[in-house]
Amino acid sequence: MPAGLGFLKYAMLYELDIENIAVIKRATISFSPGLTVLTGETGAGKSIIIDSIMLLLGARAQKELIRMGERSATVSAVFGGFSGDELSALSELGIAPDEDGMLFVSREFTPDGRSVARINGRAVPASTLRELGAVLINIHGQHENQALLNPSAHLTLLDMYAGTEKLLEKYAEAYAELCKLLEEKKALSIDEAEKERRVEMLRFQLADIDGAKLKPSEEEALEARRLKLRNLELISRHSRLLRAALYRAEKGMSAYDLVTRAIPALEQLREFVPGADGYIERLYNVRSELEDIVERVADACGDDLDVDPSEELDRIESRLDAIEKLKRKYGAHIKEILEYRAKIASELSALEESDLRMAELDRRLDEARAKVEEAAEALSAARKEAAERLSAAVTAELGELEMAKAAFEVGITREPTYTKRGIDAVEFLITTNPGEPPKPLAKIASGGELSRVMLAIKTVLSRGGASTLIFDEIDTGVSGKTSYKIGVKLKNLAQAAQVICVTHSAQIAALADTQMLISKREVGGRVETEVTPLDREGRIRELARIMGGAEITEKLLMTAEELLDSGK
C-alpha cells in the first residue's frame, strides 16, 4: 500500500490474474488504493488488461482473444473492503463475501464459445457478472466519448445522477398498464363491417358444432361398436362354440357337465386317495370358473347376436362421417373441436358485448393516463431539479480542467408523447465561449474537450457510485498542461475511490500513487506481455521514455525526476 493512503477506506480490486488472453501468457497484478497508472509503449498490452477486466465482469467473450494455440483463457480477481451499501447491493444479487470479507471472481472460456463464471467457487451466469460489475467497477473507455455525442445516452446519465430508480419503476408500471389497455382497445376497434362478418362466421361455426351434439368419448365408442357389428357373425359363431364346449352342449357333454360328473366319482374314492377333499374342492372351483367365463363372454358379446346389423351400421357410418367433417374444419379430434367451440363462443360474446366493453375500457384508459401523467410529471420534476445541480457541478469540474470559460447545461424538452422512459428528452449542451448560446456537444466539442467533459461527468457521478473507476486513455487529444489538470482530477477522485488509469501522459503518470509498466518480451520465439510494478528509479526512467521517446538522455531523466517529485 502506498505511503499516506492507509487511511482510505473503500472497496477495491486487490488482485487481477490473467492467463492466455491475446499477448498475455500469464500476468498477476496486485493493485493498491489511490491512483494507479498503467504505462508502456503502444501495443504492449495495456488495453488488454482493461479488456480482461471487462470479460471478468460479463462482457461477451470472443474466441479471438484466446492466445493462439491455447485451449482456454482465464481471468480471475479478488475484491474486498466492501462498505455497508455495497454489501447490501451484493446481497440483493445473492452474493456474499467469504469469512474474510473477500470476493473471488473468475471466468474461463474456450475457443468453442463456452465459458464458466464463478463467484467464491460457485458457478453463476454471465448476467450475474454484469450485475456485479455495475456495483464494483465503472470503466470509462475511449468509446464513451463518442457515447457523449449520442443524446439517447444523456437521459441515462441524468437518471444515474438523479437517483430516479423508484420513480422510473413506478412510471414503468403505469406505462405498461396503459400500453396493455391501448392494445385491448385496438383489438376491439375493428371495422364495423369486418366485425359483422366475423360475428356471422362465428355464429355459423357455433351452430355447425352445436348441431352435432358431440360428446367427448363418442367417436371411440362408435368405432368400437362398428367393429363389433362388422364381426357379428364371427362373434356369434365362436361365442356359441365356447358356450357349448364349456357349459351347455346340445349334443354330447360340455366341460361343465364332465366336471360335474367327476365330483361324485372322486367322492367315492375319498378313503383311497390321500387329499381327495382338496381335489373335490378344486373341481367345484373349476366348475364355477367355467360358468363365470361363459357368463362374462356372453355379457361382452351382447344380446344382439341374432339381429341384422346393417341398419345400425349405416347409422354409425353416417355419424362418424359427420364427425370427420367437423374434424377437418375445427380440430384433429372431438376434444379439440369442443375446445375450439369454447374459444369462438368467448370471442363471439366479446364481440357482441364490445360496446359495453369499450365504454369500460375507455374508463380504465382515462385512469391509466392519469396515473402515467402523474408518474411522468414526478419523474420530470426530479430530473429538472437534478439537471440544474448536474449542470452546475459539471461546469465547476470543467473549470478545474482548463475549461474555465465553458458552461455545461443539461437541456430538457418534452417528447410529443409518452415513451418507456417518460416524457422527457435530454441532451447535454455546452458553450466554450462566453456570450455564445449553448449547443449540442456533437457540434462544438473537440476530442480533447469530450475527454474532459466525460471526466467531469464521471467525477460528479462517482460520488456514491462504484468504488473502482477505470479510465482507458482519458488523456487522448489533450495537451500537457491539460493532462496535468486531468491527473489532478484523477488523484482527487482517488481519495474516495480506487482509480486505475491507462495513460500515455507523463503528467498524469507522475501524479500516480502506483505506476506499473506494461511491456513485451520474446519467450521461446513468441511475444509475451509482462506487468512490472515500478520503484522510484523505474518510474523516472519510464517518465523519461514517455516524454522523450526512444533516446533517454540525462537531461530527460532529470526532468522526469523533477516531474515525479512535483506530483507528490
Side-chain angles (χ1 to χ4, degrees):
M1 181 181 292
L5 294 175
F7 65 91
L8 294 177
K9 174 62 178 176
Y10 44 66
M12 58 174 280
L13 170 62
Y14 281 94
E15 187 173 280
L16 177 69
D17 190 83
I18 305 169
E19 186 174 357
N20 294 332
I21 293 186
V23 293
I24 299 180
K25 173 66 175 174
R26 180 69 183 264
T28 299
I29 310 171
S30 297
F31 290 98
S32 301
L35 172 60
T36 298
V37 296
L38 308 179
T39 62
E41 295 182 356
T42 300
K46 300 183 295 298
S47 292
I48 294 173
I49 294 173
I50 307 302
D51 292 340
S52 298
I53 296 174
M54 294 175 69
L55 284 171
L56 183 69
L57 299 177
R60 183 170 175 269
Q62 298 179 340
K63 63 181 182 180
E64 291 79 8
L65 285 172
I66 300 177
R67 185 173 169 84
M68 186 179 298
E70 301 295 342
R71 300 176 64 180
S72 66
T74 305
V75 187
S76 57
V78 182
F79 297 89
F82 304 107
S83 66
D85 289 342
E86 287 164 333
L87 289 173
S88 297
L90 292 176
S91 179
E92 290 181 7
L93 299 177
I95 299 171
D98 66 8
E99 61 273 12
D100 297 321
M102 309 301 283
L103 205 62
F104 297 85
V105 184
S106 67
R107 189 180 185 194
E108 180 181 12
F109 56 100
T110 55
D112 60 6
R114 290 182 296 177
S115 71
V116 178
R118 299 183 185 278
I119 298 178
N120 282 351
R122 178 172 62 90
V124 297
S127 59
T128 300
L129 292 184
R130 288 190 286 273
E131 292 172 333
L132 176 65
V135 174
L136 299 181
I137 291 182
N138 189 316
I139 298 179
H140 169 70
Q142 297 179 58
H143 67 281
E144 288 191 72
N145 288 345
Q146 298 305 312
L148 271 184
L149 303 180
N150 183 4
S152 63
H154 299 173
L155 180 58
T156 300
L157 291 170
L158 176 60
D159 281 336
M160 287 174 58
Y161 179 74
T164 57
E165 293 87 354
K166 296 294 184 183
L167 291 173
L168 265 173
E169 184 178 333
K170 183 177 180 181
Y171 172 82
E173 290 177 359
Y175 181 75
E177 178 64 17
L178 176 61
C179 291
K180 176 185 174 184
L181 293 173
L182 287 171
E183 284 297 317
E184 288 185 28
K185 182 171 182 178
K186 181 180 178 181
L188 277 178
S189 302
I190 60 176
D191 178 79
E192 280 300 315
E194 175 61 28
K195 173 182 170 183
E196 286 304 316
R197 285 193 293 271
R198 183 66 178 164
V199 166
E200 287 303 315
M201 185 184 72
L202 293 176
R203 285 174 178 167
F204 170 80
Q205 290 181 341
L206 278 174
D208 194 23
I209 296 171
D210 290 345
K213 297 181 181 179
L214 298 173
K215 298 176 183 178
S217 58
E218 179 182 7
E219 187 175 17
E220 292 81 0
L222 287 171
E223 288 175 344
R225 180 63 176 167
R226 179 175 64 181
L227 179 65
K228 180 177 179 181
L229 291 175
R230 285 176 173 176
N231 292 277
L232 204 56
E233 183 181 349
L234 180 145
I235 295 170
S236 177
R237 183 172 68 253
H238 287 285
S239 64
R240 288 191 179 99
L241 177 61
L242 187 70
R243 179 179 178 82
L246 297 184
Y247 190 59
R248 289 285 184 265
E250 294 180 3
K251 298 179 180 180
M253 301 185 71
S254 68
Y256 184 90
D257 296 330
L258 292 172
V259 171
T260 300
R261 292 186 64 179
I263 291 173
L266 186 56
E267 288 175 342
Q268 295 298 319
L269 298 174
R270 267 196 181 99
E271 58 181 299
F272 307 108
V273 178
D277 288 341
Y279 299 150
I280 293 170
E281 183 179 355
R282 288 167 65 184
L283 285 173
Y284 275 113
N285 290 337
V286 168
R287 193 173 68 171
S288 296
E289 284 293 320
L290 291 171
E291 185 176 7
D292 183 63
I293 290 171
V294 171
E295 288 178 355
R296 289 179 182 272
V297 170
D299 289 342
C301 292
D303 299 325
D304 49 7
L305 297 178
D306 296 322
V307 302
D308 183 1
S310 57
E311 184 177 342
E312 186 177 357
L313 272 173
D314 288 343
R315 190 168 58 252
I316 289 174
E317 292 291 355
S318 177
R319 181 61 173 169
L320 286 173
D321 183 61
I323 292 172
E324 188 62 31
K325 290 178 180 178
L326 291 175
K327 285 165 61 177
R328 286 197 294 267
K329 291 188 283 186
Y330 306 120
H333 44 73
I334 289 179
K335 182 181 178 183
E336 280 192 12
I337 295 173
L338 294 176
E339 288 174 350
Y340 179 75
R341 191 259 176 221
K343 177 183 175 182
I344 62 174
S346 176
E347 183 182 352
L348 179 60
S349 175
L351 286 172
E352 291 175 336
E353 298 175 3
S354 60
D355 291 340
L356 292 175
R357 289 188 63 209
M358 184 67 79
E360 171 63 15
L361 198 54
D362 284 336
R363 184 190 66 77
R364 292 172 62 195
L365 274 168
D366 289 340
E367 293 179 355
R369 287 191 182 97
K371 289 182 179 179
V372 167
E373 182 179 357
E374 180 183 0
E377 292 302 327
L379 182 59
S380 185
R383 285 168 172 167
K384 289 174 182 176
E385 187 275 332
E388 293 183 5
R389 291 187 287 111
L390 181 59
S391 298
V394 173
T395 297
E397 294 293 335
L398 290 174
E400 299 178 13
L401 291 170
E402 292 297 305
M403 294 181 70
K405 295 181 180 180
F408 179 84
E409 182 179 325
V410 180
I412 299 181
T413 57
R414 291 181 75 84
E415 296 278 11
T417 185
Y418 295 110
T419 70
K420 291 181 179 180
R421 301 292 300 276
I423 195 68
D424 303 306
V426 174
E427 185 167 16
F428 292 165
L429 311 172
I430 193 170
T431 177
T432 54
N433 297 305
E436 294 290 330
K439 295 181 181 179
L441 286 173
K443 292 188 176 181
I444 63 172
S446 66
E449 287 171 334
L450 280 176
S451 292
R452 281 178 279 174
V453 171
M454 179 56 84
L455 179 57
I457 293 172
K458 288 280 185 177
T459 300
V460 174
L461 293 180
S462 69
R463 294 159 189 164
S467 294
T468 296
L469 305 176
I470 298 177
F471 295 90
D472 188 7
E473 300 187 12
I474 188 70
D475 52 285
T476 299
V478 299
S479 64
K481 182 179 180 182
T482 304
S483 291
Y484 175 76
K485 293 285 188 177
I486 290 175
V488 171
K489 183 62 61 181
L490 293 173
K491 194 170 182 68
N492 290 338
L493 271 177
Q495 297 302 307
Q498 180 187 38
V499 177
I500 300 169
C501 179
V502 174
T503 183
H504 291 286
S505 166
Q507 287 81 4
I508 293 176
L511 290 165
D513 300 299
T514 303
Q515 182 173 354
M516 296 186 183
L517 175 64
I518 315 300
S519 59
K520 292 191 295 187
R521 61 174 182 168
E522 187 174 318
V523 179
R526 293 192 66 182
V527 172
E528 293 183 7
T529 291
E530 60 181 0
V531 182
T532 307
L534 297 178
D535 57 15
R536 176 179 171 82
E537 293 304 316
R539 293 188 67 180
I540 292 171
R541 194 161 188 84
E542 174 62 5
L543 290 175
R545 183 199 65 78
I546 296 172
M547 290 187 294
E551 187 177 351
I552 300 177
T553 65
E554 286 297 322
K555 184 175 181 180
L556 267 177
L557 289 170
M558 291 176 61
T559 304
E561 184 174 12
E562 182 180 345
L563 181 62
L564 181 63
D565 290 338
S566 67
K568 301 304 179 184

